Amino acid sequence: MESSVCMPAESTEDSVRAWLKVLSRYRQPRIGRSGFELLVTVVPFAAFWACASISLFQGFWLGLISVVPASAFLLRLFMIQHDCGHGSFFARRRLDDWTGRAIGVLTLTPYDYWRRAHAAHHASAGNLDERGTGDITTLTVAEYRSLQPLKRLGYRLYRHPLVMFGIGPAWLFLFKQRLPFGMMGDGPLPWISTMATNLAIAALALAMIWAVGVVPFLAIHLPIVTLAAAAGVWLFYVQHQFEETHWSKGNEWRFAEAALHGASHYDLPPALRWITGNIGIHHVHHLSSRIPYYRLPEVLRDHPQLADIGRITLWESLQCVRLVLWDETRGKLISFREASEAAPNP
């Protein structure tokens, strides 16, 4: 156990920088633990997939409920892929990269392409002047009011829960990630990543179709992927789209402050915390992304003052859906209704 260091929870620049030094102690992964985490995620995923397949062939339709835990373990696989992208899972670059690429075939996520976009997200999260790469599109109140009616409608539709957590995740994982959108002119790597992943996905899909048939494969795998995608987008949303999050202009933006106060501590029940790879401890992750996900609880155990920063519960997270615009005056996210009520009279 790390010795507890008395650290302030205030957001002064010096205290936030001090946290970077404290958190560096947790960056070393335990190779055996990493291998175990991979094993206890891959095996249940395969088992639940097989259970759904057997149930379908036996005509036991209720057995298709297995797609729900299968999607949960696919989500957990994505969290391992996520740690690989940060070089924190094995802390061996080649091993992390090839593990991430292999998992990317299952999660339909081109690893190297995604890793580059995600790195941009970490480098600019909370920066109003650097929005648009690897994040949820968020407008300020002033920007929204300046839009033409049709574009306002487009933003409202984009922010609607049915689109954000239903149509959007399916579109992102099934279709959008088949091409390196946003990086088409950034050299060969994004193209190699997406095309190689597409070929591997096609090969695996054909093998599974040969084994179980096209209809059973689609009936099982599509629900698994879409459920996992929706849950993943929900987690990413809640981690940054909460009322007291942090946004600032480029000349005022500071990485450490934006990381600690622009990402939430999504305090989930233990079972959900485990299946989501502790990603809810997101403020700590953003402050020190090289900490393996299974060591994040150690940070809160040793430094409990961090637990209250940006903390939202499962129930409170449901209220985040209505928060869609950044109010620069009040320094918080607000709803369309709040923006309308605060609009100046013509």
Side-chain angles (χ1 to χ4, degrees), residues 311-329:
R311 180 179 178 271
I312 55 174
T313 64
L314 183 60
W315 172 252
E316 290 170 339
S317 70
L318 301 179
Q319 312 304 312
C320 295
V321 177
R322 65 183 183 84
L323 304 175
V324 293
L325 295 168
W326 176 250
D327 189 326
E328 293 184 86
T329 303

Side-chain angles (χ1 to χ4, degrees), residues 230-307:
V233 170
W234 167 257
L235 286 170
F236 185 75
Y237 182 94
V238 171
Q239 288 155 7
H240 295 282
Q241 301 284 315
F242 59 104
E243 186 173 16
E244 301 300 332
T245 189
H246 176 90
W247 288 85
S248 55
K249 294 284 188 181
N251 59 337
E252 301 171 347
W253 183 85
R254 300 292 182 272
F255 167 79
E257 185 177 0
L260 190 59
H261 297 282
S264 68
H265 171 207
Y266 194 16
D267 196 0
L268 293 167
L272 292 179
R273 199 179 309 148
W274 185 85
I275 205 70
T276 59
N278 299 310
I279 198 65
I281 310 175
H282 209 61
H283 59 326
V284 177
H285 167 68
H286 259 261
L287 195 56
S288 186
S289 62
R290 293 295 296 272
I291 299 176
Y293 71 73
Y294 52 79
R295 298 202 65 184
L296 289 171
E298 295 178 37
V299 177
L300 296 190
R301 178 198 67 194
D302 296 343
H303 308 286
Q305 60 269 54
L306 282 171

Side-chain angles (χ1 to χ4, degrees), residues 59-329:
F60 182 58
W61 291 92
L62 188 60
L64 285 176
I65 194 94
S66 298
V67 302
V68 176
S71 68
F73 279 97
L74 184 61
L75 174 65
R76 198 170 197 271
L77 276 171
F78 184 84
M79 298 310 166
I80 293 175
Q81 180 183 1
H82 168 265
D83 264 25
C84 289
H86 285 292
S88 63
F89 195 64
F90 291 111
R92 298 177 181 178
R93 186 75 267 175
R94 181 167 295 189
L95 184 55
D96 275 331
D97 285 346
W98 282 106
T99 301
R101 288 169 186 143
I103 295 174
V105 178
L106 297 175
T107 62
L108 309 186
T109 303
Y111 170 77
D112 296 280
Y113 163 64
W114 170 85
R115 181 162 64 95
R116 184 178 291 187
H118 192 65
H121 161 70
H122 268 259
S124 62
N127 189 332
L128 287 170
D129 294 337
E130 297 290 340
R131 287 168 286 171
T133 301
D135 55 18
I136 303 291
T137 300
T138 305
L139 297 181
T140 67
V141 173
E143 288 169 343
Y144 175 73
R145 288 175 180 164
S146 69
L147 293 178
Q148 296 297 318
L150 193 58
K151 289 188 176 181
R152 284 194 187 188
L153 175 61
Y155 185 71
R156 280 180 173 271
L157 288 174
Y158 169 76
R159 281 290 191 153
H160 192 281
L162 179 61
V163 175
M164 182 64 67
F165 309 114
I167 299 171
W171 163 254
L172 173 63
F173 284 88
L174 292 174
F175 301 105
K176 187 177 179 181
Q177 292 189 150
R178 308 284 63 82
L179 289 171
F181 288 104
M183 299 183 194
M184 290 188 174
D186 292 352
L189 182 61
W191 284 97
I192 293 171
S193 177
T194 50
M195 294 302 106
T197 302
N198 290 344
L199 286 173
I201 291 169
L204 181 61
L206 287 173
M208 294 303 297
I209 288 170
W210 176 82
V212 303
V214 62
V215 173
F217 173 75
L218 294 176
I220 295 169
H221 203 61
L222 278 181
I224 290 174
V225 169
T226 52
L227 285 172
V233 170
W234 167 257
L235 286 170
F236 185 75
Y237 182 94
V238 171
Q239 288 155 7
H240 295 282
Q241 301 284 315
F242 59 104
E243 186 173 16
E244 301 300 332
T245 189
H246 176 90
W247 288 85
S248 55
K249 294 284 188 181
N251 59 337
E252 301 171 347
W253 183 85
R254 300 292 182 272
F255 167 79
E257 185 177 0
L260 190 59
H261 297 282
S264 68
H265 171 207
Y266 194 16
D267 196 0
L268 293 167
L272 292 179
R273 199 179 309 148
W274 185 85
I275 205 70
T276 59
N278 299 310
I279 198 65
I281 310 175
H282 209 61
H283 59 326
V284 177
H285 167 68
H286 259 261
L287 195 56
S288 186
S289 62
R290 293 295 296 272
I291 299 176
Y293 71 73
Y294 52 79
R295 298 202 65 184
L296 289 171
E298 295 178 37
V299 177
L300 296 190
R301 178 198 67 194
D302 296 343
H303 308 286
Q305 60 269 54
L306 282 171
D308 291 329
I309 299 177
R311 180 179 178 271
I312 55 174
T313 64
L314 183 60
W315 172 252
E316 290 170 339
S317 70
L318 301 179
Q319 312 304 312
C320 295
V321 177
R322 65 183 183 84
L323 304 175
V324 293
L325 295 168
W326 176 250
D327 189 326
E328 293 184 86
T329 303

Side-chain angles (χ1 to χ4, degrees), residues 5-10 14-24 260 287-288 299 303 305-306 309:
V5 179
C6 183
M7 291 289 296
E10 291 83 4
D14 287 342
S15 69
V16 174
R17 284 180 177 175
W19 278 119
L20 294 171
K21 183 176 181 180
V22 170
L23 296 180
S24 66
L260 190 59
L287 195 56
S288 186
V299 177
H303 308 286
Q305 60 269 54
L306 282 171
I309 299 177

